[in-house]
Amino acid sequence: MGFVKKTWQDRASEFPGRRKITDVVSGAVMTVDVVRNEGEVAQAGDPFSAENMNGLEKRIDDAFISYDTPRNVTIPAVGWTSTYPYINTVSVEGITAGSNIKILGVYAPPNASLDSVKAWNRAAGMLMTNSDDNATQEGKIVFKAYKKPGVDFTVIIQGGQ
């Protein structure tokens, strides 16, 4: 189940600072208005408000949408560096620096031959985990491989925006 977005509303009442106090021994009830008296405020902080909470909801929702939407990325056979670890930096629209991506698998179109699917899966099997800080850059993904893939292949990714 994905994220369910909520719309927050500010509380509105006639007497927002009013409290009812009951003496637990005698049962006497007194209604008082409470006012903040905190002394010197070292840091004001962020108010708890519908505007702030709705902004947070939007950012969370946007993150779920960008993460939940799989995309195809083609990794070309040309472009790999000549020494181990082999590196190929691929331009991918919408990728942001430092974002996390997950490779879900190899994309194979419905009309692909068995030999092509095998070759693409072998190539994808050469990929290594790239946990470097530069694994994603603005508009780019940096792929690493332990062996240089000899074919173009397409992976399905999730995340990165």
Side-chain angles (χ1 to χ4, degrees):
M1 179 176 140
F3 177 72
V4 178
K5 193 173 172 184
K6 170 185 175 48
T7 300
W8 293 76
Q9 295 180 3
D10 287 321
R11 181 178 179 91
S13 65
E14 184 179 10
F15 304 110
R18 187 163 288 181
R19 302 293 181 262
K20 180 172 103 175
I21 299 174
T22 303
D23 185 315
V24 292
V25 175
S26 70
V29 176
M30 179 179 12
T31 301
V32 296
D33 284 327
V34 179
V35 180
R36 291 179 104 158
N37 187 8
E38 301 171 326
E40 185 177 330
V41 176
Q43 181 173 328
D46 297 313
F48 186 85
S49 68
E51 180 181 5
N52 286 347
M53 292 306 296
N54 288 326
L56 176 61
E57 291 277 337
K58 181 180 180 339
R59 292 189 304 275
I60 293 170
D61 189 48
D62 289 348
F64 269 91
I65 289 168
S66 71
Y67 192 80
D68 285 342
T69 307
R71 298 185 290 160
N72 294 345
V73 174
T74 299
I75 305 171
V78 297
W80 291 99
T81 58
S82 59
T83 57
Y84 173 86
Y86 301 98
I87 297 171
N88 195 341
T89 303
V90 179
S91 293
V92 181
E93 187 176 330
I95 293 292
T96 56
S99 59
N100 293 316
I101 62 163
K102 181 191 296 185
I103 297 177
L104 301 178
V106 176
Y107 171 76
N111 61 347
S113 70
L114 179 59
D115 287 340
S116 293
V117 173
K118 286 180 178 179
W120 298 330
N121 277 288
R122 271 194 305 276
M126 298 173 192
L127 293 177
M128 300 168 32
T129 300
N130 185 359
S131 56
D132 294 347
D133 290 339
N134 69 343
T136 54
Q137 303 167 359
E138 287 302 318
K140 298 176 183 178
I141 300 176
V142 180
F143 292 97
K144 284 186 178 180
Y146 73 89
K147 187 175 177 185
K148 192 185 302 188
V151 296
D152 295 353
F153 62 103
T154 301
V155 292
I156 304 166
I157 67 162
Q158 194 174 47
Q161 294 178 319

